[in-house]
C-alpha cells in the first residue's frame, strides 16, 4: 500500500463510480482502475463489487475505508499543524450537525469562518445524532455537533451549551396559556413535533413519561423550519429548543413559553474521535460555531413570553 493508492481508494469509495472518481482525482479511468487492482493485490482482498452503474465496497473494503480514513485524516492534520508553525490556520474540516444547530446559525457561522480563515475548507452536512456519531467513529466526519446521548460513549465530547426546551405558539392564538406551562398540559393540546427518529423527540418522550403521560402529536415533522412555519400559521403548538426557535421569535412570528414539571433541558456538544488529532483548523471553526450557538440560545431565552404585570 502507498499514499497515492489510499487516496484513490478512498475517493472511489466515496464516489461509488469510477468515472466520477477519476474526474475528481484528475486522472484517466484506466490509471485509477490499475491502482485499485494493485491495492487489492497488495492486501489480498477484493475491495469493491463491480456493478452495472458503479462500485460498492465489500466487507474488506469497508474495513479498509474505516482504517485508511483515520490514517489520511491524521496525515492531513499533520500538514495543517506544520502550516500553523508559519502562522497559518488551514486545512479541511468536515462537520456533521443536528438540524436544530444547522438551521439556526450555520449560515452566519460559515460566513464568519470564510472571512476569518480563507485557507480553511469547510464541509458541513445535517443528520440525526446517532448517524453523525457513527460517521465520526468511522472517520467520515472530523466533528459531530449533537444532542448528547445518555450513557457512555467511545467518542470525546466537548460541551457547548445546555438549553431549555420551550413551548412555542402563534401570537394571537386563541389558546390561553400561562407564562410558564406545565408539561402535562400537552396532553390536551394539538402539537407538532419531530418523529421518533429524531433525538429531540426522544427527549420529549422521556419527559412525558416522567410526567406520567404519552405524547400524541397531531403532526410529526423532522424538518424544524417546517415545524416553526406550521406553528406560525396555525393554532398548533410545538416544543423545541431555543436555538431552533430564535429566528421566528426575533421576527415576532412565534411566542415561546417556558415549561415546568418537568423543565426539559438538552445538552449540545461537539464530538471527536479520541485517537484523531484535533487540528488548529477544527478548533478555530468550533470556536466560532460554539459562540454563535450560545448567542442564539441566549437570545431565544430573552424572548420567552412573560405574563403582563
Amino acid at each position: 500500500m502507498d499514499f497515492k493508492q489510499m487516496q484513490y481508494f478512498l475517493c472511489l469509495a466515496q464516489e461509488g463510480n469510477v468515472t466520477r472518481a477519476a474526474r475528481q482525482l484528475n486522472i484517466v479511468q484506466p490509471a485509477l482502475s490499475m491502482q485499485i487492482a494493485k491495492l487489492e493485490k497488495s492486501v489480498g482482498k477484493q475491495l469493491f463489487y463491480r456493478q452495472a452503474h458503479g462500485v460498492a465496497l465489500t466487507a474488506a473494503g469497508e474495513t479498509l475505508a474505516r482504517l485508511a480514513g483515520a490514517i489520511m485524516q491524521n496525515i492531513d492534520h499533520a500538514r495543517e499543524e506544520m502550516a500553523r508553525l508559519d502562522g497559518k490556520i488551514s486545512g479541511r474540516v468536515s462537520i456533521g450537525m443536528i438540524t436544530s444547530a444547522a438551521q439556526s446559525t450555520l449560515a452566519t457561522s460559515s460566513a464568519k469562518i470564510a472571512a476569518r480563515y480563507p485557507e480553511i475548507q469547510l464541509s458541513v452536512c445535517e443528520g440525526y445524532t446517532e448517524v453523525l456519531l457513527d460517521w465520526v467513529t468511522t472517520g467520515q466526519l472530523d466533528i459531530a455537533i449533537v444532542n448528547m446521548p445518555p450513557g457512555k460513549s467511545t467518542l470525546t465530547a466537548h460541551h457547548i451549551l445546555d438549553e431549555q426546551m420551550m413551548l412555542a405558539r402563534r401570537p394571537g392564538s386563541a389558546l390561553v396559556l400561562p407564562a410558564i406551562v406545565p408539561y402535562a398540559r400537552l396532553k390536551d393540546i394539538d402539537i407538532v413535533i419531530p418523529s421518533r427518529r429524531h433525538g429531540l423527540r426522544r427527549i420529549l418522550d422521556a419527559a412525558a413519561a416522567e410526567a406520567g403521560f404519552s405524547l400524541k402529536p397531531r403532526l410529526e415533522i423532522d424538518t424544524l423550519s417546517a415545524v416553526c412555519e406550521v406553528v406560525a400559521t396555525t393554532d398548533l403548538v410545538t416544543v423545541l429548543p431555543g436555538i431552533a426557535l430564535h429566528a421566528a421569535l426575533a421576527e415576532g412570528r412565534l411566542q415561546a413559553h417556558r415549561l415546568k414539571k418537568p423543565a426539559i433541558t438538552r445538552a449540545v456538544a461537539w464530538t471527536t474521535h479520541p485517537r484523531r488529532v484535533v487540528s488548529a483548523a477544527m478548533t478555530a471553526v468550533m470556536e466560532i460555531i460554539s459562540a454563535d450557538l450560545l448567542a442564539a440560545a441566549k437570545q431565544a431565552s430573552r424572548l420567552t413570553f412573560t405574563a403582563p404585570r
Side-chain angles (χ1 to χ4, degrees):
M1 288 186 289
D2 63 29
F3 184 76
K4 182 179 290 186
Q5 287 174 351
M6 286 296 97
Q7 286 182 307
Y8 290 1
F9 166 72
L10 290 172
C11 184
L12 181 56
Q14 182 175 9
E15 294 293 334
N17 180 277
V18 175
T19 302
R20 290 198 302 267
R23 188 183 302 122
Q24 182 78 10
L25 294 164
N26 197 28
I27 61 174
V28 296
Q29 293 182 43
L32 174 57
S33 297
M34 181 180 67
Q35 290 297 330
I36 296 301
K38 286 182 177 180
L39 179 59
E40 289 182 322
K41 183 177 180 180
S42 174
V43 299
K45 301 287 184 183
Q46 181 181 350
L47 300 175
F48 292 98
Y49 295 116
R50 276 67 177 177
Q51 301 173 331
H53 302 290
V55 297
L57 287 169
T58 63
E62 290 177 355
T63 299
L64 183 59
R66 184 176 67 253
L67 297 172
I71 292 169
M72 297 299 288
Q73 279 187 324
N74 283 335
I75 290 173
D76 288 341
H77 294 158
R79 287 173 173 164
E80 294 162 17
E81 291 303 302
M82 293 301 101
R84 192 163 67 95
L85 296 177
D86 297 326
K88 297 179 180 178
I89 296 180
S90 63
R92 181 178 175 83
V93 180
S94 58
I95 299 178
M97 301 177 72
I98 50 175
T99 303
S100 58
Q103 293 185 358
S104 61
T105 61
L106 178 57
T108 299
S109 298
S110 297
K112 291 179 182 177
I113 292 164
R116 198 173 302 174
Y117 301 106
E119 296 190 39
I120 290 179
Q121 294 176 281
L122 182 64
S123 173
V124 184
C125 67
E126 290 183 35
Y128 297 117
T129 289
E130 287 78 6
V131 174
L132 298 178
L133 292 175
D134 183 60
W135 287 351
V136 171
T137 300
T138 58
Q140 296 177 67
L141 290 174
D142 296 316
I143 296 167
I145 300 174
V146 297
N147 296 310
M148 280 304 298
K152 294 183 178 180
S153 172
T154 59
L155 300 178
T156 302
H158 314 259
H159 182 263
I160 297 176
L161 60 87
D162 296 310
E163 67 168 340
Q164 287 193 2
M165 307 275 277
M166 304 176 185
L167 182 149
R169 62 168 175 162
R170 174 178 63 86
S173 166
L175 185 65
V176 178
L177 293 172
I180 301 177
V181 180
Y183 192 58
R185 181 72 189 277
L186 294 181
K187 290 186 296 185
D188 309 314
I189 301 174
D190 287 335
I191 60 172
V192 49
I193 53 177
S195 73
R196 288 189 172 90
R197 293 183 297 270
H198 204 290
L200 293 178
R201 175 62 178 275
R202 293 169 195 168
I203 296 172
L204 297 177
D205 281 342
E210 181 182 339
F213 69 99
S214 298
L215 289 170
K216 297 178 180 178
R218 177 83 172 274
L219 295 174
E220 295 182 329
I221 303 174
D222 285 352
T223 303
L224 302 188
S225 58
V227 172
C228 291
E229 185 62 27
V230 168
V231 173
T233 54
T234 69
D235 284 335
L236 276 70
V237 305
T238 190
V239 178
L240 291 176
I243 61 173
L245 299 168
H246 88 282
L249 293 174
E251 294 167 359
R253 302 185 70 236
L254 291 181
Q255 181 181 79
H257 297 250
R258 298 189 186 278
L259 293 164
K260 64 178 181 179
K261 296 181 181 179
I264 308 169
T265 302
R266 65 97 175 245
V268 178
W270 59 285
T271 60
T272 56
H273 197 289
R275 291 198 298 272
R276 295 181 197 132
V277 176
V278 177
S279 68
M282 291 164 62
T283 300
V285 165
M286 284 313 307
E287 285 177 353
I288 291 174
I289 293 176
S290 297
D292 286 346
L293 288 172
L294 278 167
K298 289 179 180 177
Q299 181 188 30
S301 182
R302 289 194 298 267
L303 292 171
T304 53
F305 175 76
T306 55
R309 297 183 179 182

